[in-house]
Amino acid sequence: MPIKVPDRSPAEAALQQEGVEVIPDATALRQDIRPLRILLLNLMPTKIATEVQIARLLSHTPLQIELSLLTTATYQPRNTPFEHLKAFYRTLDEVKEERFDGLIVTGAPVETLPFEKVDYWSELKEILAWSRNNVFRRFGICWGGQALLYADHGIEKIQYPEKLFGVFEQRVQAPRSELMRGFPDSFPTPVSRWTGVDPAGIAATPELRVLADSPLTGIGLVEHVPTGDVFCFNHLEYDTETLRNEFVRDFSLNPATPLPHNYFPGDRAESDPANSWRAYGYLMFWNWITTLYRDTLYDLEALSPRPEHDLGAGI
């Protein structure tokens, strides 16, 4: 089925150029079905690229998806034109009376800061608190997953001595989880972070289940069983060139920047990388959307507040 993204947005044009079927407003309104309403809180500086990456993965399901874009009101991103934000993004005040099937929270380049030192932390906590009662299920990516874990369950992140950067094999630890349906015993995924989640904090929270991890990069994927919330600390949504672009950026600032692990053929930066993770990104989002469609309410107005016992010692 096609995906519904904001009309005339750069994401719409990019997806159409790739051959992804995008549904316009008029056609969506004629179809006698309720689309799944997904809200994307996009905290990445490369907002347009991230919109395309997430919309591409959401489009490969048999369901109609309506994607809405959310940004912070208290922090003005420096790398995205204000006109783009004004045309295609909304803030919490503009969506707070609405209900959504899913909320996706992206990563952000703030992971080395304590959560409370992030400029928009107070607003993010407000958004996450709102989502507990107005969104059926949440999906946090990289720092977004860490922030969601911290806000809801009080689990700290830990700082690594060097950046985990490259493509790393992840071991499936819960093969019977519906999110892992169809995955092999291990699968490659891009990793790009200076921090991870505290394994002791995860182990001390029985409602949290580790779905995938790596001996080199730690815990990579966690599920909160009572709510179905997902915390993914790696980047299956990345394009083939994303790690290259990050390497070029970092190398320009520090020529001692090491090559991303297991990414460039022969560890030669001039070689074109091959995308070994694309199928697993599609599969994970297929599984997430399929279970979300099965479990969510037909009438989102019937959403009720999450019981306090479903959440841990959040902040």
Side-chain angles (χ1 to χ4, degrees), residues 247-259:
F247 170 72
V248 170
R249 177 200 64 198
D250 294 348
F251 186 84
S252 68
L253 300 174
N254 177 13
T257 299
L259 289 171

Side-chain angles (χ1 to χ4, degrees), residues 5-36:
V5 297
D7 283 351
R8 298 176 297 280
S9 67
E12 180 185 49
L15 292 170
Q16 287 176 332
Q17 191 170 28
E18 291 181 17
V20 175
E21 188 177 359
V22 179
I23 188 168
D25 274 329
T27 303
L29 290 173
R30 286 200 305 269
Q31 294 187 340
D32 189 20
I33 59 174
R34 183 178 86 73
L36 283 180

